[in-house]
Amino acid sequence: MLSHAVLDCDETRFVCALGEGFPAYSADELVLIAESFLVAQGDALTGEAAVALRTSCDLFVTNGLIDRLGNGRFARELARKAATLRVLRVYDAHGSFGAPSEDEVITLHGGDAMDAYQELTESVPPNR
């Protein structure tokens, strides 16, 4: 899927040290990573959410945050955070007694992705 070499690391959550020459992912690759993560957990995107995901990845690369927030890890965390925000949105709409549809439970909206981007990047100081 991606052009980067796979490192032979153990199966722990520790970050493997990457050499100086490891290239940053492109926005296209970040979108693929995020979409793959979402599909693997059974999530779906509205058209608006797909655009918001793309915009978030473009901003991430354009603003030079890729080397500060973890390259491919950002895509995974963006997808995870958007899914969490979707759960909160659905809960707010239905409360603890409502019964959301299956579509509501699995579908991410544009606001979910953009709010996730905002939350992930708001604490990062600007480049100097």
Side-chain angles (χ1 to χ4, degrees), residues 22-25 60-61 63-71 73 127:
F22 189 78
Y25 289 119
F60 181 69
V61 171
N63 292 335
L65 297 173
I66 194 159
D67 292 323
R68 298 168 69 198
L69 289 178
N71 211 347
R73 182 177 58 218
N127 280 332

Side-chain angles (χ1 to χ4, degrees), residues 44-56 107-114:
L45 296 163
T46 63
E48 182 183 80
V51 169
L53 183 67
R54 155 64 60 194
T55 300
S56 295
T107 304
L108 285 116
H109 293 185
D112 302 328
M114 291 309 295

Side-chain angles (χ1 to χ4, degrees), residues 12-128:
T12 68
R13 302 238 349 134
F14 293 104
V15 178
C16 296
L18 302 177
E20 285 282 319
F22 189 78
Y25 289 119
S26 69
D28 289 338
E29 290 171 318
L30 292 172
V31 169
L32 286 173
I33 292 167
E35 287 176 341
S36 295
F37 182 85
L38 291 166
V39 167
Q41 53 181 37
D43 292 322
L45 296 163
T46 63
E48 182 183 80
V51 169
L53 183 67
R54 155 64 60 194
T55 300
S56 295
C57 291
D58 285 340
L59 287 169
F60 181 69
V61 171
T62 301
N63 292 335
L65 297 173
I66 194 159
D67 292 323
R68 298 168 69 198
L69 289 178
N71 211 347
R73 182 177 58 218
F74 167 79
R76 186 187 72 240
E77 292 304 315
L78 179 64
R80 184 174 287 144
K81 175 65 80 174
T84 298
L85 291 170
R86 184 248 348 261
V87 168
L88 295 173
R89 175 179 48 77
V90 171
Y91 181 80
D92 285 346
H94 293 280
S96 60
F97 301 106
S101 69
E102 181 179 342
D103 191 51
E104 287 176 294
V105 171
I106 66 167
T107 304
L108 285 116
H109 293 185
D112 302 328
M114 291 309 295
D115 289 348
Y117 175 82
Q118 183 66 35
E119 285 189 25
L120 288 172
T121 60
E122 68 188 356
S123 64
V124 179
N127 280 332
R128 294 185 189 222

